[in-house]
Amino acid sequence: MTEIRLSNLGKDFASFTALADMNMTIADGEFMALLGPSGCGKSTTMNMIAGMLEPTTGSIEFDGRDVRGVPMARRGVGFVFQNYAIFTHMTVWDNLAYGLKARGTPRAEVARRVEETASLLQLSPLLKRRASGLSVNILQRLAIGRSAIVEPAIFLLDEPLSNVDAAFRAVMRTELKQLQRQFKQTMIYVTHDQLEAMTMADRIAVMDHGKLLQVGTPLDVYNNPQNTFVAGFLGSPGMNLMQGHVRQDGSSTAVDFGAHGSITVSDTAIEAAAAKSDGRVQFGFRPEAAAPSQDGALRFPVNFIERIGSRTIVHLGDPDNAIKIIVANQTELPRVGEVLSLDITKGSERFFEIESGQAVGRQSDGLH
Ligand code: ATP
């Protein structure tokens, strides 16, 4: 129900810059995930949007209105934290009703919305129960319900599922997405868990060291990482990265990986990128984009085999080129020590500049 625009947003704590120059527009009704490792500035960003922290630089606009100086209570935001804030002496019903009563909502309306929210979050059988006796999983579900029930225009969730168990987390991922579709709020979801970001978000904002690195749909950031950090952070395992030398091979251009083989390329941007770094370029491919083949372009010794249930990860290469590929369990597995020849799926090859780590040959800066 509200568009959020962050312009040159930054936050310093004394001489430490926790966030620098963040530019991003979150559309009305969009589910945006802020994804990045611990300490990258996700919570700092959220706290400024919520009004708990004043920016050092830049502005935050809700539907074109600058909200700097507007206190949290008047911003129309609901906020759910990692540690649920629940009144444990109250019943589930009273916890859900709390925000509506505080706003003077008529009794019948309170009752109707409590029933509705409880049903949505599967809390109906527990409405009469005191919160103090409930499990962590249920308390977090209740915390989400208590924030959602007042239908804030903007819903901010900061790692709300990090304390709940894995099975419950999977259930909640689906429920949160449904909840947002139902209420149509603008939702910002902070997580360091790429699975949560990938499964729930309309778009993902990937951050590292106080910087926004890329914004895009889950598939876009996965398939077209703007730099080597995003390439390695997304995916489990992340994208394989290896350095090669660009050289002319008759009339065509090849990237040479020494004893590991070479691949031919046709994009002149790759040559231009290599010219910046003594002819070197970083080549990237996803573990699932490589398959063992009789006469593949690349060759690596097999180091070990890791079974992960539905699939198997084959670890290959040497310390300079540690490569992982994913194969189906039914595949005949290679032996440790054997040299495996690999084919890389056409169109899935990615290239990055050595010094900057920036992707080669993509026009958009991916930040808007
Ligand atoms: P996490 O997932 O661990 O919460 P995060 O991405 O949310 O990480 P932030 O909490 O935004 O990261 O913190 C960003 C950086 O700013 C961290 O290095 C943190 O130590 C620092 N920081 C946050 N709040 C303060 C503060 N009040 N004073 C000083 N430094 C702070």
Side-chain angles (χ1 to χ4, degrees):
M1 289 180 277
T2 302
E3 179 197 86
I4 303 169
R5 182 184 291 265
L6 313 178
S7 308
N8 306 111
L9 190 65
K11 181 69 191 174
D12 294 341
F13 294 107
S15 63
F16 176 75
T17 301
L19 185 76
D21 210 21
M22 184 161 189
N23 288 288
M24 175 163 75
T25 301
I26 302 162
D28 177 9
E30 186 171 30
F31 192 140
M32 176 71 82
L34 300 188
L35 176 69
S38 183
C40 71
K42 305 180 295 291
S43 298
T44 302
T45 307
M46 286 285 254
N47 293 342
M48 288 193 283
I49 296 170
M52 296 196 294
L53 207 57
E54 276 301 308
T56 311
T57 59
S59 66
I60 301 170
E61 290 167 58
F62 290 177
D63 284 337
R65 195 169 43 91
D66 193 331
V67 293
R68 270 175 304 180
V70 178
M72 183 172 183
R74 295 206 0 249
R75 288 196 184 192
V77 297
F79 206 155
V80 178
F81 303 90
Q82 176 176 347
N83 297 313
Y84 46 84
I86 286 296
F87 301 124
T88 47
H89 62 285
M90 292 186 353
T91 62
V92 169
W93 201 99
D94 287 332
N95 266 290
L96 286 175
Y98 186 84
L100 294 173
K101 284 184 178 168
R103 283 167 175 75
T105 310
R107 274 175 122 181
E109 172 75 359
V110 172
R112 187 188 64 76
R113 278 165 66 178
V114 167
E115 303 285 341
E116 185 185 87
T117 306
S119 154
L120 206 66
L121 286 165
Q122 293 162 41
L123 292 167
S124 303
L126 304 169
L127 280 171
K128 299 241 157 36
R129 290 273 296 276
R130 217 176 262 278
S132 54
L134 300 174
S135 72
V136 171
N137 288 355
I138 301 296
L139 286 175
Q140 191 55 291
R141 202 188 278 250
L142 178 55
I144 289 165
R146 207 179 64 170
S147 263
I149 199 169
V150 297
E151 298 183 5
I154 298 171
F155 203 9
L156 307 176
L157 295 109
D158 194 344
E159 306 249 11
L161 305 183
S162 54
N163 284 343
V164 303
D165 58 60
F168 186 72
R169 211 176 302 149
V171 173
M172 285 305 292
R173 282 203 296 269
T174 316
E175 284 186 11
L176 276 172
K177 186 72 196 162
Q178 281 170 354
L179 200 72
Q180 191 248 354
R181 284 217 181 99
Q182 177 142 346
F183 290 129
K184 300 186 179 63
Q185 291 138 327
T186 308
M187 190 129 139
I188 310 182
Y189 190 98
V190 160
T191 182
H192 61 264
D193 180 341
Q194 54 171 302
L195 188 61
E196 286 184 6
M198 282 281 175
T199 50
M200 289 193 284
D202 296 317
R203 285 192 300 158
I204 299 177
V206 187
M207 300 175 66
D208 187 38
H209 283 102
K211 291 217 171 66
L212 177 60
L213 299 182
Q214 185 170 358
V215 184
T217 62
L219 271 187
D220 189 34
V221 288
Y222 186 79
N223 289 330
N224 300 303
Q226 280 291 293
N227 55 54
T228 47
F229 176 83
V230 178
F233 190 72
L234 288 179
S236 181
M239 184 177 275
N240 293 301
L241 294 165
M242 56 193 288
Q243 281 193 18
H245 281 89
V246 173
R247 61 169 168 76
Q248 284 307 122
D249 193 3
S251 58
S252 58
T253 307
V255 183
D256 191 344
F257 303 101
H260 298 303
S262 68
I263 53 170
T264 48
V265 290
S266 54
D267 188 348
T268 50
I270 298 169
E271 292 170 61
K276 294 183 187 173
S277 306
D278 308 328
R280 288 172 306 138
V281 74
Q282 191 106 279
F283 169 53
F285 61 96
R286 292 269 172 217
E288 64 276 18
S293 132
Q294 282 294 331
D295 52 356
L298 300 178
R299 295 175 297 280
F300 303 95
V302 175
N303 297 327
F304 66 100
I305 310 280
E306 183 186 5
R307 290 190 182 275
I308 52 167
S310 58
R311 297 167 309 161
T312 299
I313 301 174
V314 181
H315 295 249
L316 312 120
D318 52 49
D320 289 336
N321 297 291
I323 302 297
K324 294 170 190 166
I325 65 165
I326 294 176
V327 295
N329 273 349
Q330 294 88 333
T331 314
E332 193 186 330
L333 292 173
R335 291 180 313 277
V336 170
E338 164 186 358
V339 172
L340 199 62
S341 157
L342 296 181
D343 257 344
I344 311 296
T345 311
K346 276 273 162 286
S348 67
E349 307 95 338
R350 296 289 176 267
F351 295 90
F352 304 88
E353 292 180 6
I354 297 277
E355 314 293 341
S356 67
Q358 289 299 307
V360 174
R362 236 193 142 212
Q363 298 303 310
S364 132
D365 68 3
L367 290 181
H368 296 283

